[in-house]
Amino acid sequence: MIIHIFIGLLILGLIAFSYRGVRFQRFFTFLAILAVGYIGWIFYTSWQNNITDSYSFLWLSSKYYPVSLNFFSGEEIYKQVTPFFIIAAISCLFVLGNKQERQKLNIIALAILNLAAIIMLICGQNTLQLLVATCFIDVLGFCAINDMTARRQYIFYNLLTDLGLFTAFAMLWGVYNTNQLQLLADKSHNSIPLYLMLISAIFKAGLFPFQGYYLQIAAIKDSRRNIISFLSTPIAGFFILWKLIPLISGNTICFQILSIEVILSLAWNLFGGLITENLNNKKMHINLSFYALAFFVILTGKEQEFECLGKLLILQFLLDNVLQYGRKYLLAQYAAVILLISAIILIILHSPQLICSSYLLILMLIAGGVMHQIQKEQIEEQNIFSLILAGLAASYFINEEMLQSLAFWGYLVGFIILLTGYPYHWLPSIKRTSTIDICSKWLYLLFVAPIEFLGRILWLTIDFLIIERTFLNGLSKCCTILQVFFERIHHLSIRNALLFWLLGLIIISYCLYGEKL
Amino acid sequence: MMELAPHMLLLLILIPFLGFVFLLLTRDNTKNSVKNIIMATEFAVCTNIMLLGRFFSQLDLEQHGLQFLTTYSWIEKPKIELAFGLDTFSLMLILAVHVIFLVSLPFAVKKNAKMLGCLSLLMLSMMTGFLLSADIFSFYIFFAIQLIPLFLLIGSVGEIHKPRWVFRFFIYNFIGTIILFLSVCALYYYQKGDDIIFLRNVARLRLHRSQEYWIWGGLFIALISRIPIWPFHYWIASITSAIENPLVFLQVNLFPLTGVYGLVRFCPKTVPESVSYLLIGLEVIAAISMLFIAMIGLINKDNRYKLFSFITVYYIIYLLGALLPTSRILLNIGYSLFAFLIIISVLEVLAAYVREEQQKYNLHLYGIICQTPRLGLLYAFFTLAAVGFPLSALFVNNFVILSYVFNYNFNLGIMMMLALVISSASLLKELYLLKDNRYVQPGSLCIMDISRKALYGLGIIAILLLISFFNPLLILGV
């Protein structure tokens, strides 16, 4: 069944992507959303009916290096895919309602194709499938970003990570002659491929200090940013690391690096979310902090916390969009945010997951800060989407038990106090606009500049100075000297004639008496 | 299934040659002469492609070694025979070479159409002959003779402003040819028999240690002279960075393929023990060259040099892959080379178009393709395919090649990856320079987008590449 869903999404995405016309955009978008809804319904019913199946496509049939693409469904797979289905469906709805977005069908196609790629990634049991799915996601991300600077950084970073993964997987295959993750997990590994895999996953997920390119993406249009933030590269980074944890966990240094990275990223991004003034950057910081949290949960290895991540991702997605869509429409936004915060409080109250609950508390604090910041803007319009969001959030989370809880009302009052803005006065007013530049500059100085410098030196010294100026010029001069010499001895003069006679005699003498000599 | 006639193989060489003769006899002063020249050239190329399809349908993919072997007696005393044959590897390369001609010809014919068409067909014929050769004499003949049409092409159509570069290029390659000639003569002399010397048997000939040293040394030097190996890359680099015509550029950059192919065919896996250290030396020089040229490509601002450095890095990767003591990845090298040659041909065609338009409108290169959606789309697709995203057969086959390299020599693998990353970054940098919209004002003068016809033509190539990602042989219906 999962293969049918994958193929259905792939075909739908490709058809939607190939339509380049301007007319009937809304109509075709609506049809595409209906199709996504239908596929989603099939997915849901398959889950409810506990349909489990598997499909394997033999991609390379060579006896030396067979590669297959595997798709299988089961309880775990359904659970992992569901949040992305919901996010993709809501993203498509947002695109439909976004009047400013002209290429609606194109964006929806990207969301659908990303969803297909995520299914492929989640079902991946061998390194090549992971690599293909990741690269596929990267290419889709590249198509989704329409800002040139952000796009350039995105593709450079991701090219590096993909080649890093490519190298690591090629090394593992070269040594163990297998690409099956399960078989690789049982072997003891050389450290280099592990470091490469770890760094690539960190790069992809935008952990500290590689968050720069995501902060560049923060400035692009919301519908496109939604795809990148919630359906694209950071998700790929997360799943790759998750799949490779059995390989990495045996290496102490890798584990320590990852732990430090996760803590630094959590701290950096949550702090960034609190104090950054730019709303887009603030939201991107919050999103990145979620991926750091997800890595943190993987490290702790707590099953319950892990299961909570899916819900948390949807919640984060909704909050992100409420803040964005409600930015201009204050009243509706209040309603939506309050409902979402209520949901957060509910999860905190009723869940034993300490890590996720703590994270939600901080998220609430940040959301309050954002609301306070937006409060200063004086625009009073209503937006139907914020209300839809509020409704969605309410129907998903609120129940009677929650309304009867005293703690719930306590949290709600606390949140309203946060909205007044007083608790935020203690925060330092740091202008952190240059963080993107600082990290990017450091990365440039560390990795790119030395190569460019070396290349320039080599070109100047070897190509230009040694080969062109010394060797070739030397040869040319030698040729000129020989030419002049031969021209001179061919001049009609007694001296030259004597010289030739002499040379002739020497050759004759050598032929006659050479052996005796 | 119908059997192929015994001389069909020769037809692959003869069709482009007949095309060359036909074009030589046509007049180029009529109104439609350019169009006729393009059509005649494309007809010859397409006929050969159809013939290649026929060979593919008859080829046994599981069988090792050359198939359809055909021998021709040339001289009775001393007895010299010429042999031709092909396998999947050579067939993929011949097909890729033909596709290159087909793709770049319509974009290349501007002036000197007759000369370009004639010499290109001659070059194609010689290149096909070279890739079909199965014995040392036919190998040498086609190895040497390619230099003549190429030299004439560079001189007459290449638009190189410094003639001394062309002469240097010729002399350098000519020396390589002479060294190969001496090695081939020595091989023939020391073989002491009337049997035909197949390329695969060269390594099995029993020679004295000093003879092995000189003959193999000569063979290596001759074949490497074709590849832009450091420090002798300058001869080819100076030429390629000055050629304006895309077809000539591609033909010059196909030249190193002869060196790589030669080394693959001489089977260095069975090279005599006494000269095996030459291979180690060759590997070291190749690895240094790869990194060196990749770094220069990164800092160089000329897009032709960037493409040249990218092409060279890949050729050296294929060379190092072919030098591994295993024949398992030969087919992967063939598939990867097939996709690689097609990608670089389209990239060069697009780059040449941009250069020409830039000169016509006297614009800066920064952001020049921002307002040309068709060109931008194709440029981005082929660049992403070139840098190794899974859009062509390059991806998975490079993966296999690299995994084998890592298995045999870890450090070499690391150097290969570094060179690959740098050259890929260099291509991406070029793409973003062309697409950088910060320098483009709305409503400002911009270049013309490529025609719809060109978009469809190159779009078909892009689809073929995508199909090759799953299986390169699917394109041929095998």
Side-chain angles (χ1 to χ4, degrees):
Chain A
M1 189 52 75
I2 196 86
I3 183 70
H4 297 131
I5 289 167
F6 172 76
I7 291 172
L9 288 170
L10 201 64
I11 292 170
L12 182 65
L14 288 174
I15 292 170
F17 194 71
S18 60
Y19 183 74
R20 296 276 151 181
V22 183
R23 296 179 71 191
F24 306 118
Q25 276 275 341
R26 273 179 103 85
F27 176 68
F28 286 134
T29 308
F30 181 70
L31 282 184
I33 290 170
L34 278 184
V36 172
Y38 177 68
I39 295 172
W41 173 251
I42 295 172
F43 177 80
Y44 180 73
T45 48
S46 308
W47 186 8
Q48 294 308 306
N49 297 329
N50 281 327
I51 294 175
T52 53
D53 60 345
S54 68
Y55 173 81
S56 189
F57 166 69
L58 191 62
W59 180 16
L60 294 182
S61 55
S62 166
K63 59 181 173 184
Y64 304 119
Y65 37 83
V67 181
S68 56
L69 300 178
N70 306 304
F71 293 89
F72 59 98
S73 55
E75 181 69 18
E76 284 298 310
I77 297 289
Y78 285 123
K79 270 187 191 171
Q80 286 163 23
V81 174
T82 304
F84 303 106
F85 241 117
I86 295 170
I87 290 172
I90 301 174
S91 297
C92 292
L93 278 172
F94 284 157
V95 174
L96 182 67
N98 192 340
K99 286 177 187 170
Q100 289 176 334
E101 188 57 71
R102 288 181 181 178
Q103 296 172 308
K104 288 185 172 50
L105 207 55
N106 202 324
I107 308 291
I108 283 182
L110 290 172
I112 296 167
L113 289 172
N114 264 308
L115 183 60
I118 287 172
I119 292 175
M120 191 179 177
L121 186 64
I122 290 173
C123 292
Q125 287 175 322
N126 62 60
T127 51
L128 256 175
Q129 186 168 343
L130 290 190
L131 198 58
V132 170
T134 313
C135 291
F136 189 35
I137 288 173
D138 292 341
V139 174
L140 292 171
F142 171 81
C143 297
I145 303 168
N146 56 358
D147 176 78
M148 200 44 65
T149 316
R151 197 185 228 195
R152 186 170 53 195
Q153 281 210 1
Y154 174 88
I155 202 69
F156 269 110
Y157 272 74
N158 281 295
L159 174 76
L160 283 178
T161 59
D162 291 338
L163 286 175
L165 287 173
F166 189 91
T167 311
F169 293 157
M171 281 177 190
L172 290 177
W173 200 0
V175 175
Y176 299 111
N177 223 8
T178 180
N179 57 10
Q180 293 298 314
L181 289 170
Q182 211 170 1
L183 294 175
L184 287 172
D186 300 333
K187 319 258 184 197
S188 58
H189 299 295
N190 184 341
S191 303
I192 294 174
L194 300 183
Y195 294 148
L196 271 174
M197 286 189 286
L198 182 69
I199 292 168
S200 302
I202 288 171
F203 251 80
K204 268 205 183 300
L207 296 190
F208 183 83
F210 309 113
Q211 71 278 15
Y213 72 107
Y214 282 116
L215 296 175
Q216 289 279 4
I217 291 166
I220 67 172
K221 278 184 183 175
D222 319 318
S223 44
R224 291 167 186 270
R225 193 175 43 78
N226 267 344
I227 293 173
I228 302 290
S229 297
F230 297 99
L231 289 169
S232 186
T233 323
I235 298 288
F238 168 73
F239 275 108
I240 282 173
L241 194 77
W242 184 46
K243 297 249 177 200
L244 298 176
I245 274 288
L247 277 80
I248 291 173
S249 55
N251 189 306
T252 326
I253 298 172
C254 276
F255 206 74
Q256 284 169 352
I257 292 173
L258 185 61
S259 310
I260 294 166
E261 269 294 315
V262 164
I263 291 164
L264 276 175
S265 302
L266 254 175
W268 180 273
N269 286 311
L270 285 174
F271 192 64
L274 270 169
I275 65 165
T276 305
E277 283 184 8
N278 184 304
L279 185 65
N280 289 327
N281 283 355
K282 194 185 269 280
K283 284 192 297 181
M284 195 48 91
H285 272 299
I286 304 171
N287 293 342
L288 290 174
S289 69
F290 170 78
Y291 294 108
L293 174 88
F295 281 113
F296 188 67
V297 169
I298 292 179
L299 282 180
T300 55
K302 290 181 180 171
E303 283 282 318
Q304 284 178 325
E305 299 270 6
F306 189 78
E307 283 182 6
C308 191
L309 286 177
K311 283 180 194 168
L312 210 60
L313 183 68
I314 299 171
L315 201 66
Q316 182 123 359
F317 170 74
L318 288 172
L319 192 67
D320 184 304
N321 281 283
V322 164
L323 293 177
Q324 187 60 41
Y325 282 90
R327 198 176 174 187
K328 293 175 185 171
Y329 315 104
L330 213 54
L331 188 67
Q333 186 183 20
Y334 268 113
V337 172
I338 287 168
L339 282 168
L340 281 175
I341 295 298
S342 313
I344 291 174
I345 297 162
L346 178 76
I347 294 174
I348 296 168
L349 288 175
H350 291 273
S351 66
Q353 292 93 11
L354 186 69
I355 303 167
C356 292
S357 304
S358 320
Y359 176 74
L360 282 171
L361 269 175
I362 301 170
L363 206 63
M364 195 179 90
L365 195 71
I366 295 169
V370 174
M371 286 303 296
H372 170 65
Q373 199 178 325
I374 293 170
Q375 211 178 20
K376 293 173 188 170
E377 295 176 17
Q378 295 176 340
I379 305 161
E380 292 177 5
E381 284 181 62
Q382 298 297 320
N383 183 355
I384 191 74
F385 277 101
S386 298
L387 291 171
I388 291 172
L389 273 172
L392 268 172
S395 60
Y396 194 77
F397 293 107
I398 285 187
N399 57 19
E400 268 185 41
E401 192 189 354
M402 182 179 174
L403 295 170
Q404 286 165 4
S405 165
L406 190 67
F408 163 71
W409 292 107
Y411 270 106
L412 206 57
V413 171
F415 178 67
I416 291 164
I417 294 169
L418 282 176
L419 285 182
T420 60
Y422 289 113
Y424 298 98
H425 284 302
W426 60 271
L427 279 176
S429 57
I430 303 167
K431 297 279 182 197
R432 289 189 349 104
T433 46
S434 59
T435 47
I436 308 168
D437 297 336
I438 290 168
C439 289
S440 302
K441 274 178 187 166
W442 271 107
L443 288 174
Y444 177 81
L445 279 174
L446 279 172
F447 297 109
V448 185
I451 294 171
E452 283 194 345
F453 181 71
L454 195 61
R456 209 165 284 278
I457 294 282
L458 284 173
W459 178 70
L460 271 173
T461 52
I462 294 177
D463 258 16
F464 186 71
L465 207 68
I466 297 176
I467 297 176
E468 173 72 19
R469 290 287 164 202
T470 313
F471 187 64
L472 285 178
N473 266 12
L475 271 179
S476 182
K477 288 276 188 297
C478 285
C479 287
T480 315
I481 290 167
L482 277 174
Q483 195 183 347
V484 170
F485 174 72
F486 283 114
E487 270 178 6
R488 286 207 171 170
I489 62 171
H490 278 87
H491 269 288
L492 197 62
S493 67
I494 294 169
R495 191 182 58 186
N496 290 343
L498 283 174
L499 185 72
F500 273 103
W501 272 100
L502 193 67
L503 280 170
L505 282 173
I506 290 169
I507 292 165
I508 292 166
S509 314
Y510 182 78
C511 292
L512 290 174
Y513 306 107
E515 284 181 14
K516 286 180 186 175
L517 287 170
Chain B
M1 200 180 281
M2 278 178 69
E3 284 287 315
L4 283 164
H7 303 297
M8 286 281 269
L9 217 53
L10 205 60
L11 220 55
L12 283 172
I13 307 169
L14 281 178
I15 289 171
F17 190 78
L18 287 173
F20 155 71
V21 174
F22 175 77
L23 284 186
L24 209 60
L25 300 173
T26 56
R27 285 192 295 176
D28 64 343
N29 52 359
T30 57
K31 195 180 166 186
N32 292 324
S33 58
V34 173
K35 200 176 167 186
N36 290 340
I37 285 164
I38 294 177
M39 292 208 15
T41 313
E42 291 205 333
F43 176 75
V45 177
C46 287
T47 313
N48 246 17
I49 288 176
M50 287 199 305
L51 201 58
L52 284 171
R54 185 94 181 90
F55 275 105
F56 262 114
S57 66
Q58 301 277 310
L59 201 69
D60 183 1
L61 296 173
E62 301 296 318
Q63 191 184 323
H64 286 284
L66 295 178
Q67 297 171 47
F68 309 107
L69 265 175
T70 320
T71 53
Y72 298 93
S73 182
W74 186 20
I75 303 170
E76 277 302 317
K77 212 148 180 93
K79 194 180 177 190
I80 296 177
E81 283 181 300
L82 303 181
F84 299 99
L86 49 76
D87 57 2
T88 318
F89 180 70
S90 55
L91 209 48
M92 292 297 284
L93 293 190
I94 297 171
L95 182 66
V97 170
H98 279 73
V99 174
I100 287 180
F101 277 77
L102 204 62
V103 168
S104 52
L105 192 75
F107 292 88
V109 179
K110 296 285 180 314
K111 45 189 171 184
N112 276 344
K114 184 178 171 180
M115 185 67 100
L116 181 71
C118 279
L119 292 173
S120 296
L121 279 178
L122 185 61
M123 180 72 188
L124 182 65
S125 172
M126 299 302 120
M127 183 61 100
T128 310
F130 176 77
L131 294 170
L132 289 175
S133 58
D135 76 299
I136 54 164
F137 283 107
S138 58
F139 181 85
Y140 168 70
I141 290 165
F142 286 107
F143 183 86
I145 210 164
Q146 285 174 57
L147 195 55
I148 298 165
L150 192 68
F151 175 65
L152 293 172
L153 263 172
I154 298 169
S156 60
V157 200
E159 296 172 49
I160 291 178
H161 305 298
K162 292 184 179 174
R164 69 169 191 273
W165 286 356
V166 187
F167 286 110
R168 271 183 207 166
F169 175 80
F170 181 80
I171 288 167
Y172 172 67
N173 281 294
F174 188 64
I175 292 168
T177 309
I178 289 171
I179 293 171
L180 183 69
F181 177 69
L182 294 175
S183 299
V184 167
C185 288
L187 269 174
Y188 183 76
Y189 179 74
Y190 290 122
Q191 183 227 356
K192 289 168 189 164
D194 285 341
D195 289 340
I196 185 166
I197 308 176
F198 285 106
L199 294 176
R200 63 169 184 267
N201 293 340
V202 170
R204 292 176 201 150
L205 292 177
R206 290 191 175 181
L207 300 166
H208 190 262
R209 194 182 167 90
S210 63
Q211 291 165 358
E212 277 179 348
Y213 178 78
W214 284 107
I215 290 173
W216 279 98
L219 281 175
F220 281 148
I221 291 171
L223 294 171
I224 287 167
S225 72
R226 288 285 166 97
I227 307 166
I229 290 277
W230 180 85
F232 303 111
H233 64 281
Y234 199 75
W235 281 263
I236 305 178
S238 57
I239 284 286
T240 48
S241 57
I243 293 172
E244 293 290 340
N245 191 300
L247 185 56
V248 182
F249 176 91
L250 288 167
Q251 289 183 62
V252 172
N253 279 294
L254 274 178
F255 217 45
L257 180 68
T258 55
V260 177
Y261 182 80
L263 280 164
V264 171
R265 280 289 173 238
F266 274 102
C267 291
K269 284 163 272 299
T270 49
V271 76
E273 188 96 4
S274 59
V275 288
S276 57
Y277 69 91
L278 284 176
L279 278 180
I280 300 168
L282 177 62
E283 278 181 1
V284 172
I285 295 170
I288 293 170
S289 305
M290 205 165 48
L291 273 176
F292 180 84
I293 293 171
M295 278 194 269
I296 295 180
L298 184 72
I299 56 119
N300 210 303
K301 285 179 180 166
D302 182 28
N303 64 0
R304 276 165 297 193
Y305 199 101
K306 276 184 194 294
L307 198 57
F308 159 76
S309 80
F310 178 77
I311 293 168
T312 306
V313 166
Y314 261 87
Y315 276 140
I316 296 174
I317 287 174
Y318 296 131
L319 171 72
L320 291 171
L323 292 180
L324 291 179
T326 175
S327 55
R328 288 176 182 180
I329 53 168
L330 190 62
L331 214 53
N332 293 93
I333 295 174
Y335 292 154
S336 184
L337 254 170
F338 172 74
F340 165 75
L341 290 174
I342 293 175
I343 290 169
I344 57 158
S345 68
V346 179
L347 273 179
E348 169 51 22
V349 160
L350 296 175
Y353 177 82
V354 171
R355 277 199 305 271
E356 195 189 323
E357 289 287 305
Q358 181 219 357
Q359 282 162 10
K360 194 157 79 182
Y361 294 100
N362 199 18
L363 292 169
H364 205 277
L365 268 178
Y366 288 95
I368 199 165
I369 60 170
C370 280
Q371 292 163 326
T372 52
R374 291 175 204 155
L375 188 59
L377 179 75
L378 286 172
Y379 215 114
F381 177 87
F382 284 99
T383 306
L384 290 182
V387 300
F389 280 101
L391 299 170
S392 70
L394 210 63
F395 174 78
V396 74
N397 291 297
N398 280 2
F399 184 86
V400 175
I401 296 167
L402 274 166
S403 66
Y404 272 86
V405 174
F406 276 121
N407 193 16
Y408 285 101
N409 191 338
F410 189 79
N411 295 331
L412 186 66
I414 293 284
M415 287 178 93
M416 267 173 142
M417 272 319 291
L418 266 177
L420 211 59
V421 170
I422 296 170
S423 58
S424 301
S426 154
L427 271 196
L428 269 182
K429 199 174 160 189
E430 182 64 19
L431 173 70
Y432 280 99
L433 185 140
L434 300 177
K435 292 191 108 182
D436 200 337
N437 54 5
R438 284 176 298 176
Y439 301 91
V440 181
Q441 302 296 327
S444 61
L445 187 68
C446 65
I447 63 167
M448 285 272 288
D449 204 348
I450 56 165
S451 65
R452 206 172 275 269
K453 206 169 135 188
L455 174 76
Y456 293 144
L458 296 177
I460 291 169
I461 301 287
I463 292 167
L464 284 179
L465 277 177
L466 275 174
I467 295 170
S468 79
F469 168 68
F470 295 101
N471 185 356
L473 297 177
L474 271 181
I475 302 168
L476 303 145
V478 179

